[in-house]
Amino acid sequence: MRFFGTFFRTCLRVRLSDWRIWLVLLLFPLLVLSAARLLPAEEVTAPVQVGVVLPKEGGEDFWRRLEGRSGLVVTFHAAGRAQAERQVAMGRWDCALVLPEDFQARLDRVDLEGLFVLLIGPGSAVYPLVRETAAACVAECVSPAMAEGYLLDSGILDRAGAEGARPRLEETLLDRDRVLVTLETADGRPLDPLALADSGVSALLACLVVFLLLIWLLFTAVDLGRWLDSPAARRLIPLRGRPALIWPRLAAALVPALCAGGLALLLAAGWMA
């Protein structure tokens, strides 16, 4: 153990005395800060843009419900089919919903099979969420008719009773009567959607640091292989063995890189905040 500590301090002192090592270590925080600064601010904070192609007639109730769900995470834009295809293809919009021209008629007869066409691009990521949101809005639109049909088919109400109950079927439930979904972490803390979006940027910067550390580790492995073939190492191997020589030298090479990587992540976290 004493040999490990002595050899580790010697290798670390030799490594830190080389100005080229300091230059490489400074690249860690500089590259991460550059990546965080070059990332457009609007791309980090702006909500995801989604297009909606509405029919010429009908669909106003659906659009009102869908537009009410626009917020800090997803924003819906009414557009034409050509504009939606162009924006999705250029990557400016994540995806686009295309409603058929007989949208309202299909809602009236509760024909929901293949109701939407969803345009996505190679970089689309949130289209499953958009699909579920659109399905929820459709469910709100057709739920009164579905409930009325169920009451009639089950014999609970007749035609006259169904007409009298129709205003109640179209009422909007209060928050206390709804099934509300909230996001929280594994330890029970509330999860902010904006914090979830920012975590993607933090994960990207962390991947950059890991990539730099991997390159450092590969070069360190090559350096260790060359050093083991040196005359000094050949004389020490019979006395101490290869592991006793490799681990202190490997630790001395990794400690500065890990410190530089940790500093880079701290600086990036402070910059993004």
Side-chain angles (χ1 to χ4, degrees), residues 36-46 272:
R37 188 170 185 175
L38 292 177
L39 189 64
E42 61 273 11
E43 297 297 331
V44 176
T45 59
M272 297 304 299

Side-chain angles (χ1 to χ4, degrees), residues 45-235:
T45 59
V48 177
Q49 310 296 316
V50 177
V52 181
V53 180
L54 298 172
K56 294 181 180 178
E57 296 182 359
E60 292 82 4
D61 186 32
F62 171 80
W63 171 244
R64 177 179 58 82
R65 298 177 187 275
L66 190 65
E67 191 178 23
R69 286 172 165 79
S70 294
L72 298 176
V73 179
V74 179
T75 300
F76 297 96
H77 302 278
R81 177 67 180 262
Q83 180 187 5
E85 292 178 349
R86 183 172 61 254
Q87 295 290 77
V88 172
M90 296 175 62
R92 295 181 178 175
W93 289 355
D94 184 87
C95 57
L97 286 168
V98 180
L99 278 62
E101 291 298 327
D102 59 344
F103 177 76
Q104 191 60 47
R106 294 182 63 176
L107 286 186
D108 294 338
R109 61 176 184 266
V110 197
D111 180 14
L112 308 180
E113 184 68 25
L115 187 59
F116 297 103
V117 174
L118 186 61
L119 304 178
I120 61 175
S124 299
V126 301
Y127 63 90
L129 175 62
V130 173
R131 184 170 52 199
E132 296 299 328
T133 303
C137 293
V138 170
E140 289 183 1
C141 293
V142 302
S143 57
M146 294 179 64
E148 182 179 346
Y150 172 77
L151 294 175
L152 291 174
D153 295 339
S154 62
I156 298 176
L157 295 176
D158 54 10
R159 289 289 179 182
E163 292 181 0
R166 191 169 299 165
R168 185 176 179 182
L169 295 177
E170 296 178 354
E171 290 181 357
T172 301
L173 293 177
L174 300 177
D175 289 342
R176 66 172 182 268
D177 300 324
R178 296 186 181 185
V179 178
L180 301 178
V181 178
T182 58
L183 300 177
E184 63 180 23
T185 60
D187 55 358
R189 293 178 299 172
L191 180 61
D192 186 5
L194 290 180
L196 183 63
D198 291 339
S199 65
V201 180
S202 301
L204 179 62
L205 297 177
C207 289
L208 177 60
V209 174
V210 172
F211 179 72
L212 295 175
L213 290 175
L214 177 61
I215 295 177
W216 183 280
L217 183 60
L218 292 176
F219 278 105
T220 300
V222 174
D223 179 66
L224 281 175
R226 292 177 178 175
W227 180 79
L228 288 175
D229 289 334
S230 65
R234 289 179 180 178
R235 289 192 297 267

Side-chain angles (χ1 to χ4, degrees), residues 1-14:
M1 195 66 182
R2 183 179 300 176
F3 175 79
F4 180 93
T6 304
F7 194 40
F8 169 76
R9 289 191 297 271
T10 302
C11 294
L12 183 61
R13 189 181 304 111
V14 172

